[in-house]
């Protein structure tokens, strides 16, 4: 996004938060392609059989963002943090619904394609990651933001470093720590 488009997006964000209904409609075209790119990257890492499409994820996350009256965004950077959080919330809610008793609980969904069975990993994996991330947010909010941008928003290291105003080297160091921390947390017998 160019500096002019970045400034336009920031101005539209502020106008939308001030109650200008048309500002939200004018904002979407400025951020849509970047949100779709992030959603496509995130959706590519989901299990086979996931029915949610990147477009639907973007639309659901965007509606949640512009529908929040108490959301105070200071600019484009905060908007994309909030978008990553909204995407995370959408994915976690879908995983909870899949893990619920009305959707078969802990049973695996099996699809038959070309006579080969493909099993979908349990939704509990995403729920466990969400729980671990909530714990990490309490301990170190910056590290939690890195996970949200890298995992839920699908940003690469360069994009996440830029969004967080960190050097890539610092981000890589933090990312190594985070992956080890999450591995320990997720492999623990109780969580």
């Amino acid at each position: 996004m160019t500096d002019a488009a970045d400034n336009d997006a920031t101005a539209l964000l502020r106008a939308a938060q001030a109650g200008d209904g048309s500002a939200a409609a004018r904002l979407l075209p400025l951020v849509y392609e970047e949100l779709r790119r992030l959603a496509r990257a995130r959706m590519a890492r989901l299990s086979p059989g996931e029915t949610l499409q990147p477009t639907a994820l973007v639309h659901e996350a965007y509606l949640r963002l512009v529908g929040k009256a108490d959301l105070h965004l200071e600019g484009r950077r905060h908007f994309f943090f909030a978008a990553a959080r909204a995407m995370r919330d959408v994915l976690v809610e879908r995983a909870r619904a899949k893990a619920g008793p009305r959707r078969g609980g802990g049973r695996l969904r099996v699809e038959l394609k070309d006579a080969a069975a493909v099993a979908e990993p349990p939704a509990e994996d995403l729920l466990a990651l969400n729980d671990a991330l909530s714990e990490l947010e309490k301990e170190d909010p910056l590290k939690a933001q890195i996970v949200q941008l890298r995992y839920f928003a699908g940003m690469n290291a360069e994009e996440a470093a830029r969004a967080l105003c960190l050097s890539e080297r610092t981000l890589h160091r933090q990312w190594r720590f985070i992956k080890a921390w999450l591995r320990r947390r997720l492999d623990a017998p109780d969580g």
Side-chain angles (χ1 to χ4, degrees), residues 17-79:
Q17 288 178 309
D20 181 352
S22 68
R26 293 190 322 261
L27 174 64
L28 184 57
L30 292 177
V31 296
Y32 186 77
E33 282 308 314
E34 192 164 353
L35 287 175
R36 264 201 41 89
R37 184 182 57 76
L38 296 176
R40 274 193 307 271
R42 175 61 199 111
M43 299 300 291
R45 291 190 233 151
L46 291 181
S47 62
E50 176 57 58
T51 57
L52 183 67
Q53 296 296 314
T55 300
L57 179 58
V58 166
H59 289 215
E60 179 67 27
Y62 187 79
L63 288 174
R64 288 177 185 219
L65 287 174
V66 298
K68 282 190 173 182
D70 63 340
L71 185 65
H72 300 289
L73 300 170
E74 296 175 19
R76 181 180 171 277
R77 178 175 168 231
H78 285 111
F79 174 81

Side-chain angles (χ1 to χ4, degrees), residues 65-103:
L65 287 174
V66 298
K68 282 190 173 182
D70 63 340
L71 185 65
H72 300 289
L73 300 170
E74 296 175 19
R76 181 180 171 277
R77 178 175 168 231
H78 285 111
F79 174 81
F80 283 102
F81 283 131
R85 180 57 193 234
M87 286 181 193
R88 170 185 167 192
D89 292 345
V90 169
L91 294 171
V92 168
E93 286 173 16
R94 286 182 57 85
R96 281 193 179 117
K98 283 183 178 183
R102 291 186 67 183
R103 301 277 179 118

Side-chain angles (χ1 to χ4, degrees), residues 145-166:
Q145 286 178 334
I146 291 170
V147 175
Q148 284 189 176
L149 293 177
R150 297 287 318 267
Y151 186 80
F152 288 98
M155 288 185 178
N156 64 32
E158 179 184 350
E159 293 165 330
R162 193 175 9 179
L164 293 166
C165 299
L166 298 173

